Amino acid sequence: MREEEREMLVSFETLALSKRVSDVREIIEYEFNDPTILQQAFTHHSYKEGCSSLDRLAYIGDAILTFAVTKDQCLLYPDLDPGMLTRLRSANVDTEKLARVTLKHELHEFLRHNILLLEPQIEEFREAIAKYPLHSSGLIDAPKVLADIFEALIGAIFLDCKSSFDTTWEVVKKLLEPVITPATLPTHPVSQLLELCQSRRLSLKMRDSWSGDGVVEFVIDDACVGRAEYKAKRVIAKNRAALVAYNNLMRDQTTLQL
């Protein structure tokens, strides 16, 4: 590459960075002192060999977010037991929740990457969450890179504001809205199925052939009451099968009562 072409490329990248910083600032309402940290937060390791990617920032952001949500919930809900607090925290910091935040604020539009088929995955996720306003409780397979983006942004803010926890949380808390509360926390499909079977004294078993055909089934007395197929992740297949089983058992009970 000639020197003149190199200078033009640097000038173009500088302009693009300036525009990216300005757009992100409007979304998150935070002014970055070091724009290069922000650029790293929106650079996937697939973008270019040897590039400074978001991975380490996401690692920092994950730790900051977990602590921040833990502290906030302990102050807000002093009477909640640790088990409930753990479930509540998980729902507010897991991959699906953070992917929703990224999608809501269109932060993925700033990601520099070369990930094949990312756009179709994002659109599939966008359509899936329309059925579940707050959280699906493990029924949806969220693209992990969307969660990574938000965690990396948290890490970038934390480093940029000289490791100020309060400044970071002030910015992040607004972006997390709507936060899941004890009143809006959905019941996990496997948990509600187990509780139902225990209350009726039903012997529930799981039949798992996922490694072969991507199928998980729940059976009672050798009869299948719930089945789901999802080859990408066993846990998604299990959760979906549990929901099918729960709905079938509730439907059968309603029929008997009629």
Side-chain angles (χ1 to χ4, degrees), residues 193-204:
L193 175 62
L194 291 175
E195 290 172 5
L196 178 64
C197 290
Q198 287 172 2
S199 69
R200 297 185 184 178
R201 298 182 180 180
L202 299 173
S203 180
L204 179 73

Side-chain angles (χ1 to χ4, degrees), residues 12-227:
F12 176 76
E13 290 181 344
T14 301
L15 182 62
L17 174 58
S18 177
K19 178 68 165 60
R20 189 177 300 112
V21 170
S22 176
D23 290 345
V24 172
R25 181 183 63 231
E26 290 185 12
I27 294 172
I28 69 174
E29 298 179 357
Y30 173 79
E31 182 81 47
F32 271 85
N33 299 299
D34 182 0
T36 60
I37 296 179
L38 179 63
Q39 177 160 273
Q40 182 180 347
F42 287 101
T43 303
H44 190 262
H45 58 257
S46 66
Y47 178 64
K48 189 186 301 182
E49 185 177 353
C51 65
S52 295
S53 71
L54 56 77
D55 296 329
R56 291 178 66 87
L57 290 175
Y59 174 78
I60 296 171
D62 173 60
I64 295 297
L65 181 62
T66 299
F67 175 71
V69 172
T70 300
K71 178 183 176 182
D72 197 55
Q73 290 180 347
C74 283
L75 293 174
L76 283 172
Y77 312 113
D79 297 326
L80 280 189
D81 64 81
M84 183 62 171
L85 285 170
T86 299
R87 287 178 53 209
L88 193 59
R89 178 184 62 195
S90 177
N92 280 294
V93 304
D94 68 5
T95 298
E96 181 184 329
K97 170 61 178 180
L98 302 188
R100 285 171 177 263
V101 174
T102 294
L103 198 62
K104 175 184 176 182
H105 298 288
E106 301 292 336
L107 294 171
H108 61 287
E109 297 291 346
F110 303 105
L111 184 66
R112 304 190 302 170
H113 70 93
N114 283 304
I115 306 173
L116 294 175
L117 303 178
L118 178 59
E119 291 306 317
Q121 291 175 24
I122 291 175
E123 288 310 307
E124 182 179 345
F125 177 63
R126 191 193 300 275
E127 293 175 7
I129 63 176
K131 302 177 184 177
Y132 307 95
L134 281 178
H135 204 287
S136 76
S137 268
L139 298 171
I140 295 175
D141 189 5
K144 185 177 180 299
V145 67
L146 294 182
D148 291 341
I149 291 170
F150 189 63
E151 288 178 337
L153 179 60
I154 297 171
I157 295 170
F158 183 71
L159 294 183
D160 187 72
C161 67
K162 303 187 187 308
S163 304
S164 170
F165 174 83
D166 290 338
T167 299
T168 304
W169 183 230
E170 183 180 356
V171 176
V172 172
K173 189 173 184 179
K174 291 184 293 185
L175 297 172
L176 282 172
E177 294 291 345
V179 172
I180 298 171
T181 67
T184 59
L185 179 66
T187 303
H188 194 277
V190 174
S191 297
Q192 70 177 3
L193 175 62
L194 291 175
E195 290 172 5
L196 178 64
C197 290
Q198 287 172 2
S199 69
R200 297 185 184 178
R201 298 182 180 180
L202 299 173
S203 180
L204 179 73
K205 295 181 180 180
M206 186 175 75
R207 194 154 55 199
D208 186 350
S209 60
W210 183 87
S211 59
D213 56 13
V215 171
V216 173
E217 296 177 321
F218 284 96
V219 297
I220 296 176
D221 296 331
D222 291 327
C224 178
V225 293
R227 180 184 188 276

